[in-house]
Structures are given as C-alpha cells and as structure tokens.
Amino acid sequence: MYLVLGFKRSLVTSFIAGLATFFCVGSAVAQYPDRPIKVIVPFAPGGGTDLVARTLGVSMAEDLRQSIVIDNKPGGSTIIGTDALAKSPADGYSLVVATLAHAVNPSLKAKLPYSQDKDFAPVILVGVSPNVVVVSADSPYKTFQDFLVAAKANPGKLSYASQGGGTSAHLAGELFNSIAGTKLTHVPYKGAGPALTDVIGGQVDVMFATASAVGSLVEAGKLRALAVTTPTRSPTPLLAKLPTVAESGVPGYSAGSWYGYFAPAGTPPDVINKLNASIKKAAQSTAFKSRVESEGLVIKTGTPEEFGKFVKAEELRWRAVIKAANIAPD
C-alpha cells in the first residue's frame, strides 16, 4: 500500500510541477517581448543586409512595442555574426539576418564553430533578389546572347569578376560555366567596389553582380546590364526589361541572393511564430517595399518550416556547384 501511495503521490507532485511550468512558460510567451530584441547583421553597416535589417526593424519595433537593436558583427564570411547567434540564449531576444553565405559556408569552410543543422531555428525568408549580368558601357557585348556566343567560342579567354571567393557573384559565374558549358576565368576581388571598377574599365569582361551594387552604375551609364539571374524577370522598373539568363540561351539557370532570419535552436515555437508574423507584416509594409525596390528584391515570406526547407535546398544545390568547380574549402 505504501508503494502504491508513494507512486500516486509522485504522480500528483510531478503533475503539479509540470502544470506550474506550463503556465510559467505560457505566461512568458504571452508577455514576449518585454525587453529590446537584438538583430545581428553579419556585415558592416551600410550594405544591403544592413538596410534590410534596419528598415524591417522600424516596423517590427512598432508592431512588437519594443526596440530592435541592430548589432553589426562583420567578418569571416558571416561566420562571426552567425556564431554569436548560435551561442545566444534561446529566448527570442537574439536573431541573425542570414544570406546565401549561410547556405554555402558549410561547403566552403573546412570547419565551422557551430553546427549548421543543430544550432539554428528558422524564423522566416524575407525575399530573393537577382544578380545582374553587367559589362562595361564600352563592351562589344550589346546583349546577353552576344556574350554567350563569345563565351562559348573562346573557352578560357573571357573573365568574370566577383567580390571574393564563395560570394554570390562567384557562385553565379560557376553555375553559368557548369550549365552553359563555358570556361570563364574567375577574377576575385576584395569587395564589389574594386571588382566593378575593373569591369567598368574593361580589365574584366563581365560580372554577375548583386542588383544593389550595380543599380546606380547602370542608371549612370557606366555599366550595361544584359540579364538577370533569377528564373523570372524582375518587377523592379530598372531591371524589368532585362531578360533572364535562362530564357536567353541557358535553360535551367537560376541564381540569386536572399535574406532570412534565424533564432537560436530551442527558441519556443510560439515565440518563433510571433517573430514570423511581425517580420512578415514588416516586409509587406510600404516603407520596406520602397526601400528595397532598387535591389530588385522579390518578397517571399512564409512559414518557419518553409524557410528551413528552402535553406536546406540551397545548401545541397550550391554544394554540387562548388564540388563541380573544384572550389576547395579553406
């Protein structure tokens, strides 16, 4: 009888403790957020990712009634900022704005200080923007077809610039080589600025550059835009008349940049969903749409689960490109 009573008493005690924990957690989630939320941007201030975070942050602050603090942690191909997020408490008060680098770093780095599969909880995909195939205003290539014909006829003789190894411009060029059967020579630079300077000067033939980096240069007539790298044409006025690479002779070609938010693994699902709803609302605001229009960003918000699947698909897709191009991890 004692054993039975003791067992029953244990059940009652455990039930009461569990119930108390449930209500405490529920109360904490209901009150969330009750202090400022930190958003880590793994790049220096002033770039496209910083613009996205700061613009969304204004609307999020109004919606959540809390300050959004932007914390720029550049370096290590976004690894420094991403690692800071991985080591943050899983309480919903730390986020990171991830880009294509998040998906390709596992294939480009011999070792990461965090687990790609275990340390992050997907929150939301914000949107996808194209890269733009650009040449000098003085280039003999007037259309993308002109460039494609020359690239196929002169293997190894045409070059393409990037802002560094493993960047979206680099991988977009290697994907082009793989699908089109060309052999463009990669010329990496330390940043988009010097790379574009040499494209303008004709030292390098072409660049698969981000839209945010080339918009003003195309408008000023210093660069000629030939095509966009996304599977559909861009709705942005500056790019709307440009064909896609896929429709211009390279079927199946698709590349682009994207932005999304992660929280630390273990963040309560209700908190994740609240953040998802707030960022989704901010991304649909007129203020955000007007700020990112020049970048050609196509807003594609969805569920946390959809973002998780999107990132995993990006990892696998670019891993195959990196392997085919014999890009060794560093």
Side-chain angles (χ1 to χ4, degrees), residues 255-272:
S257 304
W258 51 264
Y259 303 104
Y261 282 73
F262 282 99
T267 301
D270 285 351
V271 171
I272 294 286

Side-chain angles (χ1 to χ4, degrees), residues 77-313:
S77 298
T78 75
I79 292 173
I80 291 175
T82 305
D83 186 44
L85 188 278
K87 293 175 171 54
S88 297
D91 54 11
Y93 291 94
S94 295
L95 300 169
V96 72
V97 185
T99 63
L100 176 66
H102 184 89
V104 301
N105 276 336
S107 298
L108 293 173
K109 305 298 177 182
K111 186 176 181 181
L112 293 171
Y114 49 78
S115 170
Q116 183 85 343
D117 296 324
K118 297 179 180 179
D119 288 343
F120 306 102
V123 177
I124 192 169
L125 173 68
V126 174
V128 179
S129 62
N131 283 28
V132 184
V133 184
V134 292
V135 296
S136 167
D138 298 325
S139 171
Y141 312 124
K142 306 298 183 182
T143 67
F144 184 82
Q145 285 87 352
D146 292 342
F147 164 70
L148 179 61
V149 169
K152 288 186 173 183
N154 300 279
K157 294 183 180 180
L158 272 64
S159 59
Y160 76 97
S162 82
Q163 62 269 46
T167 60
S168 62
H170 177 200
L171 297 178
E174 290 302 335
L175 180 64
F176 175 77
N177 276 337
S178 175
I179 297 178
T182 55
K183 292 184 179 180
L184 301 180
T185 300
H186 177 222
V187 183
Y189 290 80
K190 292 183 178 180
L196 288 168
T197 296
D198 276 7
V199 174
I200 292 171
Q203 286 85 0
V204 186
D205 294 295
V206 69
M207 184 171 178
F208 295 76
T210 61
S212 59
V214 300
S216 61
L217 295 171
V218 171
E219 285 187 307
K222 294 182 178 180
L223 289 172
R224 179 184 300 132
L226 303 181
V228 293
T229 62
T230 40
T232 57
R233 294 194 179 196
S234 172
T236 302
L238 178 64
L239 308 176
K241 294 182 179 180
L242 294 178
T244 67
V245 172
E247 72 180 88
S248 302
V250 192
Y253 184 90
S254 174
S257 304
W258 51 264
Y259 303 104
Y261 282 73
F262 282 99
T267 301
D270 285 351
V271 171
I272 294 286
N273 290 333
K274 193 165 187 177
L275 287 166
N276 176 282
S278 183
I279 297 170
K280 185 181 296 183
K281 181 179 179 181
Q284 295 297 336
S285 69
T286 301
F288 181 70
K289 289 180 178 179
S290 64
R291 289 296 299 274
V292 300
E293 184 179 52
S294 63
E295 192 175 344
L297 187 72
V298 177
I299 296 169
K300 293 188 175 183
T301 55
T303 66
E305 293 75 19
E306 287 170 339
F307 181 40
K309 291 178 180 178
F310 171 85
V311 174
K312 179 53 67 174

